[in-house]
Amino acid sequence: MNDDLLPHFLIEGRDLTEQAAHDLQMLARGPDKIALDSCFRAIHTLKGSAALFDLPPMVRLLHAAEDLLGAMRSGATADPAALPALIEVVDQTDRWLDELAASAVLKTGAEQVEKRLAALMGRAPPPEASDTDPVTTRLGGVAIRYTPRADCYFAGDDPLAIIRAVPGLVDLRIAPREPFGDLARYDPFTCNLVMEAVSTAERGAVEAALRLVADQVVLSELAQTASVETVEAEVRTLRVAAERVDHLSDLTDELVIAKGGLALLAAQAERLAEGHVLAQALRAQQARLDRLVGELHGTVGRIRQAPLAPLFNRFPRLVREVARSLGKTVSFEVEGGETEVDKAVVDGLYEPLLHVLRNALDHGIETPAMREASGKSAASALRLSARSAGDRVVIEVIDDGAGMDPRRIQDMALARGLIDESQAAALDDRAALELIFLPGFSTAATASDLSGRGVGMDAVRSAVARLGGRVEIASQVGKGSTIRLVLPISMALTKIMVVTCSGERFGLAIEGVAETARVAIGQLTPVRDTEAFVLRDQVVPLVHLADLVGASRPTRPEVLRVVVAKVGDESVGIVVDAVVDRLDATIRPMSGLLVNAPGVNGSTLLADGTVLMVLDLQELVG
Amino acid sequence: MSLRLDGDVIRFEGQCRVEDTETLVALLHKAPEAKLDLAACQGMHAAVVQAMLAFGRPVVAWPTEGFLKDHLAPALAGLRPTKL
Amino acid sequence: MGTTVLIVDDSKLARIVVGKAIAALQPDWNRLEASGADEALALLDCQAIDVVVLDFNMPGRDGLELAEELRGRFPNMPIAIATANVQDEIIARAREAGATFIPKPVTEDGMRGFISGAALRLRSAAQ
């Protein structure tokens, strides 16, 4: 039985009945091929989903409705009574969903309701023989959930071809893994799909077809005889103290690291006499553990996600109060509160957002009199919005106030000694706007009681950076300003290369590493105040990690171990003592004293319990 | 060429491969009202399907090829415009 | 700059088959051949190579060991292993090394996914 699927069915079922009802309304106004197709798909999906549970009356009724819609699509029928009957079917389905939500079973008498509505549609209940219809009534088989890796297109996988190769495929569903977000920035080559299917074949055959992507697939057997009663307990939601989820999440992160130890053991076993078999067994075990830990990490990550609404809902009252104290009239709009992000992000955003909103009210938005004088409406519009874009959430505070004048900001920064004349001359408008992020900057011509609190946009920027995000700014004089916070939705796993330098270990994100090389001392050539070596006709300058992290260089070995990194378009060789490991880890933002340490991305915990600092190559070398 | 814009319809023809995804996305941006005609499509890479899901454009004709007809059309039943 | 693919297989015939499939899919790519792991490593030392296709069954170091070694040096290089026989343990190791499987005998169709993906990856790395 698909215990864990019922909650999904209830959510998806609501969407589908709503869609079908909407489509039928459109159809009631006149022929509409798009609405008819959409309605057919919605009913087809509802039927397919209902077939996963023990709900014969619902499946049969939806099947009849699908048949009727199919006949309408092919032009075989245009019965004017069809639409009202279909609307009743959809409403009844919605009521059945209520019943399932309440008690996990359909009330008695469902068969009578089914027969009445089937008759209304001019369709006799389908004969018993149709119970053999594999899609609608098959209850045995294997349910497949295939979540292709985000980079699978690059690896050459075509998830559709892979699922197509599964024998006995009867019901395929394709959906986005995460909301697509801003389509203007749609990334065509990052896989964002989840495929769910049912196969009537033996589990072994399904596994064989999916073995190359076994780490991305979850299979569950569908029992031949289903008992709906067992579902009941699964429908409830559970409220759990946040600390426990945090603890669970910490443990999962540690598990990710601990599992990395197996690779080490396998390598050690390999070196033993006769150790090959043991090493193989360890690797196989590791692959299994990899898959399970990856799944666990994903699941815990989703538990940790919370909607922004409770945070956003705190602001309207605060905005009203601040606006009143400043004598300004503001219409404040909030949208996108349903967007879900990691709870750490939600928790860390209150202060920064409050500050940005205060800034907008204090410095951006003009008094009603000033607004009217410049031909604007007396009431200003201030908007706080959120939307997801891929694996990021974009939160914007937009006002229609006075905007920021880059030249004026530049003058003020000069006056405050934050920059000098030559620096000022080099700034374009965008760079000038960025000056507001310098510590100790305030653009208010008159200090109000809201400024001078010792919190500037610099604090906003570092708070957002701690959460793994960035702050962007756009402004037009006289039109208003937009402050945009772009943050990760979840704390994802990053591939890290572990290197040593002066007896300490450091992490480098593999993304920035082009290759590793050994360079003999004799191959080095001096270039200005540093050294370089030639890698396939290209001169690559060398830097020593020891210098970058402020350690002393070890005695010079005969052969240098070099990590070649791409920084912008340039290759740079970073001399390390050794490359010791690779691992998947959750990078945590730095906290405490090291919050603003330059060149440090964050930290992660190693298998032996020590903290590994993960370096930001771009910042260190660039 | 497996994708082309024909008036306000984007036509899929033959095999639509992973390389065609960029063309499709460019066409979807270029013609925000365009609908999709898959009638002559013989095969589709998952990346192409994903773009269809993301942009949620109405499909005016589904493929006749076996797998696409039997499985893809119903599989995309949730195909609706993305809510922002 | 052009893309260079290195084909490593101890069978000359197999290298021709793989080379033909790649030529059909990416006519502009330079193709280099090596008959074993050592020759491949020597080529990698003196030439820029973007993509590698390895035979699994080779005398001496097999394709998987070579893939693991190459991954150590080139964290982002597209690597494929061509094989007729895929055991679960090998799949797990290949995945760990970030290599793609290509079924043997190699055909244009069997090669297409990997080559397309590799082209996309190289292009997005260049951007």
Side-chain angles (χ1 to χ4, degrees), chain A residues 340-421:
Chain A
E340 294 201 347
V341 297
D342 192 288
K343 196 154 177 317
V345 175
V346 180
D347 291 346
L349 277 180
Y350 176 67
E351 288 286 334
L353 277 179
L354 183 61
H355 187 75
V356 171
L357 288 166
R358 274 183 165 151
N359 255 355
L361 290 162
D362 197 7
H363 310 313
I365 288 167
E366 317 90 326
T367 60
M370 284 162 73
R371 289 180 65 88
E372 279 174 343
S374 57
K376 289 179 173 178
S377 62
S380 64
L382 179 62
R383 205 157 71 107
L384 169 65
S385 71
R387 62 173 194 273
S388 54
D391 57 353
R392 313 238 114 193
V393 59
V394 178
I395 299 174
E396 287 178 328
V397 173
I398 304 175
D399 69 62
D400 69 345
M404 287 179 264
D405 179 353
R407 298 283 75 85
R408 194 161 148 264
I409 288 172
Q410 185 181 313
D411 292 345
M412 297 178 79
L414 263 174
R416 283 179 185 138
L418 299 171
I419 52 170
D420 61 35
E421 290 285 351

Side-chain angles (χ1 to χ4, degrees), chain A residues 422-474:
Chain A
S422 64
Q423 284 171 315
L427 295 174
D428 59 15
D429 283 359
R430 174 173 286 270
L433 281 183
E434 295 269 319
L435 292 171
I436 67 161
F437 292 115
L438 288 177
F441 193 95
S442 165
T443 56
T446 57
S448 73
D449 62 338
L450 294 165
S451 45
R453 295 167 55 94
V455 205
M457 286 301 286
D458 60 318
V460 171
R461 174 167 273 188
S462 55
V464 170
R466 273 199 293 281
L467 298 168
R470 61 175 196 273
V471 183
E472 296 167 358
I473 179 168

Side-chain angles (χ1 to χ4, degrees), chain A residues 260-413:
Chain A
L262 271 178
L264 212 67
L265 284 179
Q268 282 173 357
E270 191 77 57
R271 284 196 289 274
L272 296 174
E274 316 279 319
H276 187 59
V277 175
L278 177 60
Q280 276 193 347
L282 279 171
R283 284 212 185 86
Q285 197 61 26
Q286 186 200 355
R288 223 178 120 217
L289 205 58
D290 262 356
R291 197 182 73 232
L292 292 173
V293 169
E295 237 171 78
L296 180 64
H297 192 269
T299 309
V300 172
R302 281 191 293 280
I303 295 180
R304 285 186 53 87
Q305 284 179 11
L308 285 164
L311 170 70
F312 278 14
N313 292 342
R314 296 171 72 181
F315 293 121
R317 184 179 56 83
L318 291 166
V319 166
R320 279 197 301 276
E321 285 171 4
V322 173
R324 201 178 308 128
S325 76
L326 294 167
K328 294 177 180 176
T329 322
V330 178
S331 141
F332 182 51
E333 253 185 76
V334 177
E335 69 177 24
E338 72 284 356
T339 313
E340 294 201 347
V341 297
D342 192 288
K343 196 154 177 317
V345 175
V346 180
D347 291 346
L349 277 180
Y350 176 67
E351 288 286 334
L353 277 179
L354 183 61
H355 187 75
V356 171
L357 288 166
R358 274 183 165 151
N359 255 355
L361 290 162
D362 197 7
H363 310 313
I365 288 167
E366 317 90 326
T367 60
M370 284 162 73
R371 289 180 65 88
E372 279 174 343
S374 57
K376 289 179 173 178
S377 62
S380 64
L382 179 62
R383 205 157 71 107
L384 169 65
S385 71
R387 62 173 194 273
S388 54
D391 57 353
R392 313 238 114 193
V393 59
V394 178
I395 299 174
E396 287 178 328
V397 173
I398 304 175
D399 69 62
D400 69 345
M404 287 179 264
D405 179 353
R407 298 283 75 85
R408 194 161 148 264
I409 288 172
Q410 185 181 313
D411 292 345
M412 297 178 79

